[in-house]
């Protein structure tokens, strides 16, 4: 899953903002997400978090990965 991580550099708040903006453009221009409605997207996010190891210490990168996974996870 590509969330725009840079080689060896920390993932910043601005990186997350950029990722969210790219995701919005992707959804608007090519709505092929499995979970295209907000309710399905949030349901998928909760399900993904229940079944995957989330870090104890959240990070901007971890948040981006959660958002990315929620597009398609069932």
């Amino acid at each position: 899953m590509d969330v725009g991580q840079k080689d060896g550099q920390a993932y910043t708040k601005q990186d997350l903002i950029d990722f969210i903006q790219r995701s919005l453009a992707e959804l608007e221009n090519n709505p092929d997400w499995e979970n295209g409605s907000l309710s399905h997207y949030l349901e998928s996010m909760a399900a993904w978090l229940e079944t995957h190891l989330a870090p104890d210490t959240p990070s901007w990168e971890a948040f981006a990965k959660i958002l990315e996974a929620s597009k398609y996870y069932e």
Side-chain angles (χ1 to χ4, degrees):
M1 151 181 354
D2 179 24
V3 295
Q5 183 176 6
K6 299 176 277 185
D7 293 333
Q9 295 179 357
Y11 201 84
T12 66
K13 180 171 80 170
Q14 187 59 51
D15 293 329
L16 177 61
I17 292 167
D18 294 344
F19 172 77
I20 291 170
Q21 291 173 337
R22 285 192 312 272
S23 294
L24 178 59
E26 175 188 336
L27 179 60
E28 290 174 341
N29 296 320
N30 187 16
D32 289 336
W33 291 10
E34 183 70 31
N35 300 306
S37 73
L38 180 59
S39 60
H40 286 129
Y41 184 80
L42 294 174
E43 181 180 349
S44 174
M45 184 182 297
W48 188 87
L49 283 167
E50 287 177 344
T51 60
H52 289 77
L53 293 176
D56 289 332
T57 304
S59 68
W60 296 118
E61 183 178 9
F63 189 49
K65 288 180 180 180
I66 292 165
L67 294 174
E68 176 70 16
S70 300
K71 295 177 188 178
Y72 305 104
Y73 189 79
E74 292 187 43

